[in-house]
Every structure is written in structure tokens, then in C-alpha cells.
Amino acid sequence: MAFPSPTRAGARDHAPRTRLAAVVAAVLVVGAGLALRAVATGGVAKYGGDALYTLLLFALVFVAAPRTAPAKAAAVALAVSWGVEFLQLTDVPAHLAGESTVARLVLGSTFNAPDLFWYAVGAAAGWSVLRRR
């Protein structure tokens, strides 16, 4: 799903349309993640889910700030994904995961270095879709 272009001087404000497209994209990414988990196992499910996690964050950046440049949105999504992954080097996510299913889904529990690559794949995928417009 393509997002409308950021506002240019003198151009019509597309922020509401961008925000709506981003919400739809976020819902589709969550659906894709659930479908992936239903049909795939092992590395495909895990690493595909990692890429989709960052792609979801990419879409949520546009929900919060619809005028964000695609490269900046990709950088923010990647930074948050990597931050959560590095947080897993502490006991905090594992403790919270034991207390809440939502925390487990959002924060994970164990650090896995290959995840860092797949988060970058998700950020790159989002950026590449929007940069072509």
C-alpha cells in the first residue's frame, strides 16, 4: 500500500489520507504476521515475523507523524526494533514477558543477533516501497 506524498509548499495537506493509509497498512502487516505464523514454521516464521515487526513500526511512524520522510520512518522503525532487541540483553523483557502476553509479543525475551539483520530487511522493505513513488 502506497502512502500519499509528504506535504510540499503550496500543495494540499495529505496528512489525514497518509494516516489512514498507514493504519490500513499496519492492520495488513499484523494480518500478514498472523497468517505467516499459521502457515510457516521455523526460520521462515521467526525471521519473517522479525521483518514484519519492523514493517509494522514503519507504518506506525506514519500513523503518529504522517509527514515523515520514508528514510526517516525506516530509520526510526529500525532503531526501535534494534533497541528492543538489545534490551533483551537485560532481564527486563524476560521478566515482563512472564507477566504479560502483550509484553512477550512486543518485547520478546531473548537476544538473537540474526534478528538485527531481519529488522533491517523490514525497514528496507518499507522504505523501498515508498521511495519509488
Side-chain angles (χ1 to χ4, degrees):
M1 166 163 281
F3 294 74
S5 299
T7 303
R8 292 185 176 90
R12 199 170 71 152
D13 184 9
H14 293 288
R17 195 170 63 142
T18 300
R19 185 171 279 126
L20 177 61
V23 167
V24 170
V27 169
L28 291 173
V29 169
V30 169
L34 294 172
L36 182 64
R37 288 291 226 179
V39 301
T41 59
V44 172
K46 176 169 182 12
Y47 297 123
D50 289 344
L52 288 170
Y53 177 86
T54 303
L55 197 55
L56 173 62
L57 292 174
F58 179 80
L60 292 177
V61 168
F62 288 103
V63 171
R67 292 179 187 90
T68 304
K72 186 174 183 178
V76 168
L78 183 58
V80 171
S81 296
W82 281 357
V84 168
E85 190 67 29
F86 283 114
L87 183 64
Q88 293 171 0
L89 291 169
T90 71
D91 292 337
V92 173
H95 173 73
L96 294 173
E99 301 292 321
S100 163
T101 301
V102 172
R104 182 180 53 78
L105 292 172
V106 172
L107 299 176
S109 60
T110 4
F111 178 81
N112 185 29
D115 291 351
L116 300 171
F117 171 77
W118 292 102
Y119 295 142
V121 169
W127 173 77
S128 69
V129 167
L130 294 188
R131 78 172 175 84
R132 286 189 235 170
R133 302 177 331 92

PDB file of all heavy atoms in Angstrom, residues 69-98:
ATOM      1  N   ALA A  69       9.476  11.680   6.288  1.00  0.00           N
ATOM      2  CA  ALA A  69      10.106  11.155   5.071  1.00  0.00           C
ATOM      3  C   ALA A  69      10.291   9.645   5.226  1.00  0.00           C
ATOM      4  O   ALA A  69      10.581   9.164   6.328  1.00  0.00           O
ATOM      5  CB  ALA A  69      11.453  11.826   4.854  1.00  0.00           C
ATOM      6  N   PRO A  70      10.130   8.888   4.136  1.00  0.00           N
ATOM      7  CA  PRO A  70      10.270   7.426   4.226  1.00  0.00           C
ATOM      8  C   PRO A  70      11.601   6.959   4.823  1.00  0.00           C
ATOM      9  O   PRO A  70      11.621   6.022   5.621  1.00  0.00           O
ATOM     10  CB  PRO A  70      10.115   6.962   2.775  1.00  0.00           C
ATOM     11  CG  PRO A  70       9.252   8.005   2.155  1.00  0.00           C
ATOM     12  CD  PRO A  70       9.677   9.300   2.797  1.00  0.00           C
ATOM     13  N   ALA A  71      12.702   7.606   4.469  1.00  0.00           N
ATOM     14  CA  ALA A  71      14.004   7.200   5.018  1.00  0.00           C
ATOM     15  C   ALA A  71      14.049   7.414   6.531  1.00  0.00           C
ATOM     16  O   ALA A  71      14.576   6.577   7.270  1.00  0.00           O
ATOM     17  CB  ALA A  71      15.133   7.966   4.343  1.00  0.00           C
ATOM     18  N   LYS A  72      13.471   8.501   6.991  1.00  0.00           N
ATOM     19  CA  LYS A  72      13.443   8.771   8.428  1.00  0.00           C
ATOM     20  C   LYS A  72      12.542   7.767   9.144  1.00  0.00           C
ATOM     21  O   LYS A  72      12.882   7.272  10.223  1.00  0.00           O
ATOM     22  CB  LYS A  72      12.969  10.192   8.700  1.00  0.00           C
ATOM     23  CG  LYS A  72      13.048  10.594  10.147  1.00  0.00           C
ATOM     24  CD  LYS A  72      12.709  12.055  10.346  1.00  0.00           C
ATOM     25  CE  LYS A  72      12.872  12.457  11.791  1.00  0.00           C
ATOM     26  NZ  LYS A  72      12.584  13.887  11.977  1.00  0.00           N
ATOM     27  N   ALA A  73      11.400   7.447   8.549  1.00  0.00           N
ATOM     28  CA  ALA A  73      10.498   6.459   9.151  1.00  0.00           C
ATOM     29  C   ALA A  73      11.179   5.100   9.240  1.00  0.00           C
ATOM     30  O   ALA A  73      11.054   4.400  10.253  1.00  0.00           O
ATOM     31  CB  ALA A  73       9.207   6.357   8.334  1.00  0.00           C
ATOM     32  N   ALA A  74      11.925   4.731   8.197  1.00  0.00           N
ATOM     33  CA  ALA A  74      12.655   3.455   8.218  1.00  0.00           C
ATOM     34  C   ALA A  74      13.715   3.470   9.309  1.00  0.00           C
ATOM     35  O   ALA A  74      13.885   2.478  10.028  1.00  0.00           O
ATOM     36  CB  ALA A  74      13.288   3.190   6.857  1.00  0.00           C
ATOM     37  N   ALA A  75      14.415   4.590   9.455  1.00  0.00           N
ATOM     38  CA  ALA A  75      15.455   4.694  10.488  1.00  0.00           C
ATOM     39  C   ALA A  75      14.858   4.603  11.885  1.00  0.00           C
ATOM     40  O   ALA A  75      15.411   3.932  12.764  1.00  0.00           O
ATOM     41  CB  ALA A  75      16.238   5.998  10.316  1.00  0.00           C
ATOM     42  N   VAL A  76      13.730   5.264  12.097  1.00  0.00           N
ATOM     43  CA  VAL A  76      13.072   5.209  13.410  1.00  0.00           C
ATOM     44  C   VAL A  76      12.603   3.787  13.710  1.00  0.00           C
ATOM     45  O   VAL A  76      12.823   3.263  14.804  1.00  0.00           O
ATOM     46  CB  VAL A  76      11.892   6.209  13.478  1.00  0.00           C
ATOM     47  CG1 VAL A  76      11.020   5.964  14.703  1.00  0.00           C
ATOM     48  CG2 VAL A  76      12.409   7.643  13.457  1.00  0.00           C
ATOM     49  N   ALA A  77      11.953   3.143  12.743  1.00  0.00           N
ATOM     50  CA  ALA A  77      11.468   1.774  12.937  1.00  0.00           C
ATOM     51  C   ALA A  77      12.625   0.828  13.232  1.00  0.00           C
ATOM     52  O   ALA A  77      12.532  -0.023  14.124  1.00  0.00           O
ATOM     53  CB  ALA A  77      10.689   1.304  11.704  1.00  0.00           C
ATOM     54  N   LEU A  78      13.716   0.986  12.505  1.00  0.00           N
ATOM     55  CA  LEU A  78      14.882   0.134  12.723  1.00  0.00           C
ATOM     56  C   LEU A  78      15.509   0.396  14.085  1.00  0.00           C
ATOM     57  O   LEU A  78      15.864  -0.543  14.806  1.00  0.00           O
ATOM     58  CB  LEU A  78      15.909   0.342  11.607  1.00  0.00           C
ATOM     59  CG  LEU A  78      17.146  -0.533  11.661  1.00  0.00           C
ATOM     60  CD1 LEU A  78      16.767  -2.018  11.637  1.00  0.00           C
ATOM     61  CD2 LEU A  78      18.079  -0.200  10.503  1.00  0.00           C
ATOM     62  N   ALA A  79      15.618   1.655  14.460  1.00  0.00           N
ATOM     63  CA  ALA A  79      16.201   2.000  15.767  1.00  0.00           C
ATOM     64  C   ALA A  79      15.375   1.431  16.916  1.00  0.00           C
ATOM     65  O   ALA A  79      15.929   0.888  17.886  1.00  0.00           O
ATOM     66  CB  ALA A  79      16.329   3.512  15.904  1.00  0.00           C
ATOM     67  N   VAL A  80      14.065   1.519  16.814  1.00  0.00           N
ATOM     68  CA  VAL A  80      13.200   0.961  17.865  1.00  0.00           C
ATOM     69  C   VAL A  80      13.340  -0.556  17.909  1.00  0.00           C
ATOM     70  O   VAL A  80      13.473  -1.152  18.988  1.00  0.00           O
ATOM     71  CB  VAL A  80      11.730   1.388  17.660  1.00  0.00           C
ATOM     72  CG1 VAL A  80      10.799   0.635  18.606  1.00  0.00           C
ATOM     73  CG2 VAL A  80      11.584   2.894  17.862  1.00  0.00           C
ATOM     74  N   SER A  81      13.329  -1.198  16.737  1.00  0.00           N
ATOM     75  CA  SER A  81      13.472  -2.657  16.689  1.00  0.00           C
ATOM     76  C   SER A  81      14.796  -3.101  17.309  1.00  0.00           C
ATOM     77  O   SER A  81      14.831  -4.030  18.111  1.00  0.00           O
ATOM     78  CB  SER A  81      13.402  -3.149  15.240  1.00  0.00           C
ATOM     79  OG  SER A  81      12.147  -2.876  14.682  1.00  0.00           O
ATOM     80  N   TRP A  82      15.871  -2.436  16.904  1.00  0.00           N
ATOM     81  CA  TRP A  82      17.181  -2.781  17.461  1.00  0.00           C
ATOM     82  C   TRP A  82      17.238  -2.475  18.950  1.00  0.00           C
ATOM     83  O   TRP A  82      17.811  -3.238  19.720  1.00  0.00           O
ATOM     84  CB  TRP A  82      18.286  -2.040  16.723  1.00  0.00           C
ATOM     85  CG  TRP A  82      18.653  -2.655  15.404  1.00  0.00           C
ATOM     86  CD1 TRP A  82      18.159  -3.799  14.852  1.00  0.00           C
ATOM     87  CD2 TRP A  82      19.608  -2.155  14.476  1.00  0.00           C
ATOM     88  NE1 TRP A  82      18.738  -4.034  13.629  1.00  0.00           N
ATOM     89  CE2 TRP A  82      19.634  -3.048  13.374  1.00  0.00           C
ATOM     90  CE3 TRP A  82      20.433  -1.032  14.457  1.00  0.00           C
ATOM     91  CZ2 TRP A  82      20.465  -2.849  12.278  1.00  0.00           C
ATOM     92  CZ3 TRP A  82      21.263  -0.841  13.350  1.00  0.00           C
ATOM     93  CH2 TRP A  82      21.277  -1.739  12.293  1.00  0.00           C
ATOM     94  N   GLY A  83      16.614  -1.375  19.363  1.00  0.00           N
ATOM     95  CA  GLY A  83      16.589  -1.034  20.792  1.00  0.00           C
ATOM     96  C   GLY A  83      15.900  -2.112  21.612  1.00  0.00           C
ATOM     97  O   GLY A  83      16.384  -2.504  22.679  1.00  0.00           O
ATOM     98  N   VAL A  84      14.770  -2.592  21.112  1.00  0.00           N
ATOM     99  CA  VAL A  84      14.054  -3.665  21.809  1.00  0.00           C
ATOM    100  C   VAL A  84      14.914  -4.930  21.847  1.00  0.00           C
ATOM    101  O   VAL A  84      14.997  -5.603  22.880  1.00  0.00           O
ATOM    102  CB  VAL A  84      12.688  -3.939  21.147  1.00  0.00           C
ATOM    103  CG1 VAL A  84      12.060  -5.224  21.664  1.00  0.00           C
ATOM    104  CG2 VAL A  84      11.746  -2.761  21.365  1.00  0.00           C
ATOM    105  N   GLU A  85      15.578  -5.230  20.742  1.00  0.00           N
ATOM    106  CA  GLU A  85      16.422  -6.435  20.706  1.00  0.00           C
ATOM    107  C   GLU A  85      17.580  -6.321  21.698  1.00  0.00           C
ATOM    108  O   GLU A  85      17.869  -7.259  22.442  1.00  0.00           O
ATOM    109  CB  GLU A  85      16.956  -6.669  19.290  1.00  0.00           C
ATOM    110  CG  GLU A  85      17.624  -8.007  19.112  1.00  0.00           C
ATOM    111  CD  GLU A  85      16.668  -9.189  19.221  1.00  0.00           C
ATOM    112  OE1 GLU A  85      15.471  -9.049  18.908  1.00  0.00           O
ATOM    113  OE2 GLU A  85      17.128 -10.280  19.606  1.00  0.00           O
ATOM    114  N   PHE A  86      18.234  -5.183  21.722  1.00  0.00           N
ATOM    115  CA  PHE A  86      19.349  -5.012  22.664  1.00  0.00           C
ATOM    116  C   PHE A  86      18.863  -4.957  24.113  1.00  0.00           C
ATOM    117  O   PHE A  86      19.583  -5.363  25.024  1.00  0.00           O
ATOM    118  CB  PHE A  86      20.191  -3.787  22.309  1.00  0.00           C
ATOM    119  CG  PHE A  86      21.106  -4.032  21.144  1.00  0.00           C
ATOM    120  CD1 PHE A  86      20.923  -3.362  19.947  1.00  0.00           C
ATOM    121  CD2 PHE A  86      22.137  -4.960  21.229  1.00  0.00           C
ATOM    122  CE1 PHE A  86      21.753  -3.603  18.860  1.00  0.00           C
ATOM    123  CE2 PHE A  86      22.976  -5.212  20.153  1.00  0.00           C
ATOM    124  CZ  PHE A  86      22.786  -4.531  18.965  1.00  0.00           C
ATOM    125  N   LEU A  87      17.640  -4.494  24.332  1.00  0.00           N
ATOM    126  CA  LEU A  87      17.061  -4.519  25.671  1.00  0.00           C
ATOM    127  C   LEU A  87      16.949  -5.958  26.180  1.00  0.00           C
ATOM    128  O   LEU A  87      17.025  -6.219  27.377  1.00  0.00           O
ATOM    129  CB  LEU A  87      15.685  -3.844  25.667  1.00  0.00           C
ATOM    130  CG  LEU A  87      14.966  -3.709  27.006  1.00  0.00           C
ATOM    131  CD1 LEU A  87      15.768  -2.790  27.946  1.00  0.00           C
ATOM    132  CD2 LEU A  87      13.569  -3.164  26.805  1.00  0.00           C
ATOM    133  N   GLN A  88      16.828  -6.899  25.262  1.00  0.00           N
ATOM    134  CA  GLN A  88      16.726  -8.310  25.631  1.00  0.00           C
ATOM    135  C   GLN A  88      18.021  -8.845  26.237  1.00  0.00           C
ATOM    136  O   GLN A  88      18.035  -9.950  26.777  1.00  0.00           O
ATOM    137  CB  GLN A  88      16.307  -9.146  24.422  1.00  0.00           C
ATOM    138  CG  GLN A  88      14.899  -8.854  23.965  1.00  0.00           C
ATOM    139  CD  GLN A  88      14.556  -9.504  22.655  1.00  0.00           C
ATOM    140  OE1 GLN A  88      15.361 -10.191  22.044  1.00  0.00           O
ATOM    141  NE2 GLN A  88      13.331  -9.278  22.195  1.00  0.00           N
ATOM    142  N   LEU A  89      19.083  -8.084  26.149  1.00  0.00           N
ATOM    143  CA  LEU A  89      20.327  -8.475  26.830  1.00  0.00           C
ATOM    144  C   LEU A  89      20.213  -8.274  28.343  1.00  0.00           C
ATOM    145  O   LEU A  89      21.054  -8.750  29.089  1.00  0.00           O
ATOM    146  CB  LEU A  89      21.515  -7.675  26.275  1.00  0.00           C
ATOM    147  CG  LEU A  89      21.912  -8.016  24.838  1.00  0.00           C
ATOM    148  CD1 LEU A  89      22.905  -6.998  24.303  1.00  0.00           C
ATOM    149  CD2 LEU A  89      22.484  -9.430  24.769  1.00  0.00           C
ATOM    150  N   THR A  90      19.162  -7.574  28.766  1.00  0.00           N
ATOM    151  CA  THR A  90      18.887  -7.399  30.190  1.00  0.00           C
ATOM    152  C   THR A  90      17.801  -8.387  30.604  1.00  0.00           C
ATOM    153  O   THR A  90      17.222  -9.085  29.766  1.00  0.00           O
ATOM    154  CB  THR A  90      18.408  -5.962  30.497  1.00  0.00           C
ATOM    155  OG1 THR A  90      17.081  -5.788  29.976  1.00  0.00           O
ATOM    156  CG2 THR A  90      19.348  -4.921  29.904  1.00  0.00           C
ATOM    157  N   ASP A  91      17.479  -8.416  31.866  1.00  0.00           N
ATOM    158  CA  ASP A  91      16.412  -9.290  32.369  1.00  0.00           C
ATOM    159  C   ASP A  91      15.017  -8.672  32.245  1.00  0.00           C
ATOM    160  O   ASP A  91      14.020  -9.345  32.497  1.00  0.00           O
ATOM    161  CB  ASP A  91      16.667  -9.628  33.837  1.00  0.00           C
ATOM    162  CG  ASP A  91      17.888 -10.503  34.028  1.00  0.00           C
ATOM    163  OD1 ASP A  91      18.269 -11.195  33.062  1.00  0.00           O
ATOM    164  OD2 ASP A  91      18.471 -10.481  35.129  1.00  0.00           O
ATOM    165  N   VAL A  92      14.940  -7.416  31.862  1.00  0.00           N
ATOM    166  CA  VAL A  92      13.662  -6.710  31.856  1.00  0.00           C
ATOM    167  C   VAL A  92      12.629  -7.352  30.925  1.00  0.00           C
ATOM    168  O   VAL A  92      11.520  -7.680  31.379  1.00  0.00           O
ATOM    169  CB  VAL A  92      13.865  -5.214  31.531  1.00  0.00           C
ATOM    170  CG1 VAL A  92      12.534  -4.500  31.361  1.00  0.00           C
ATOM    171  CG2 VAL A  92      14.698  -4.541  32.612  1.00  0.00           C
ATOM    172  N   PRO A  93      12.918  -7.567  29.638  1.00  0.00           N
ATOM    173  CA  PRO A  93      11.885  -8.163  28.778  1.00  0.00           C
ATOM    174  C   PRO A  93      11.463  -9.564  29.218  1.00  0.00           C
ATOM    175  O   PRO A  93      10.277  -9.894  29.165  1.00  0.00           O
ATOM    176  CB  PRO A  93      12.539  -8.212  27.397  1.00  0.00           C
ATOM    177  CG  PRO A  93      13.589  -7.177  27.443  1.00  0.00           C
ATOM    178  CD  PRO A  93      14.088  -7.186  28.864  1.00  0.00           C
ATOM    179  N   ALA A  94      12.404 -10.374  29.655  1.00  0.00           N
ATOM    180  CA  ALA A  94      12.054 -11.729  30.098  1.00  0.00           C
ATOM    181  C   ALA A  94      11.127 -11.665  31.307  1.00  0.00           C
ATOM    182  O   ALA A  94      10.147 -12.427  31.388  1.00  0.00           O
ATOM    183  CB  ALA A  94      13.308 -12.523  30.428  1.00  0.00           C
ATOM    184  N   HIS A  95      11.417 -10.764  32.220  1.00  0.00           N
ATOM    185  CA  HIS A  95      10.557 -10.614  33.403  1.00  0.00           C
ATOM    186  C   HIS A  95       9.151 -10.157  32.986  1.00  0.00           C
ATOM    187  O   HIS A  95       8.151 -10.719  33.440  1.00  0.00           O
ATOM    188  CB  HIS A  95      11.168  -9.618  34.385  1.00  0.00           C
ATOM    189  CG  HIS A  95      10.262  -9.293  35.521  1.00  0.00           C
ATOM    190  ND1 HIS A  95      10.012 -10.187  36.543  1.00  0.00           N
ATOM    191  CD2 HIS A  95       9.518  -8.194  35.781  1.00  0.00           C
ATOM    192  CE1 HIS A  95       9.146  -9.635  37.391  1.00  0.00           C
ATOM    193  NE2 HIS A  95       8.839  -8.429  36.952  1.00  0.00           N
ATOM    194  N   LEU A  96       9.091  -9.122  32.127  1.00  0.00           N
ATOM    195  CA  LEU A  96       7.796  -8.621  31.674  1.00  0.00           C
ATOM    196  C   LEU A  96       7.045  -9.651  30.839  1.00  0.00           C
ATOM    197  O   LEU A  96       5.818  -9.748  30.924  1.00  0.00           O
ATOM    198  CB  LEU A  96       7.983  -7.325  30.881  1.00  0.00           C
ATOM    199  CG  LEU A  96       8.493  -6.135  31.688  1.00  0.00           C
ATOM    200  CD1 LEU A  96       8.794  -4.963  30.766  1.00  0.00           C
ATOM    201  CD2 LEU A  96       7.506  -5.742  32.772  1.00  0.00           C
ATOM    202  N   ALA A  97       7.767 -10.441  30.040  1.00  0.00           N
ATOM    203  CA  ALA A  97       7.141 -11.484  29.233  1.00  0.00           C
ATOM    204  C   ALA A  97       6.479 -12.536  30.110  1.00  0.00           C
ATOM    205  O   ALA A  97       5.443 -13.100  29.746  1.00  0.00           O
ATOM    206  CB  ALA A  97       8.163 -12.130  28.310  1.00  0.00           C
ATOM    207  N   GLY A  98       7.067 -12.797  31.266  1.00  0.00           N
ATOM    208  CA  GLY A  98       6.473 -13.741  32.201  1.00  0.00           C
ATOM    209  C   GLY A  98       5.206 -13.205  32.844  1.00  0.00           C
ATOM    210  O   GLY A  98       4.368 -13.969  33.322  1.00  0.00           O
TER     211      GLY A  98
END
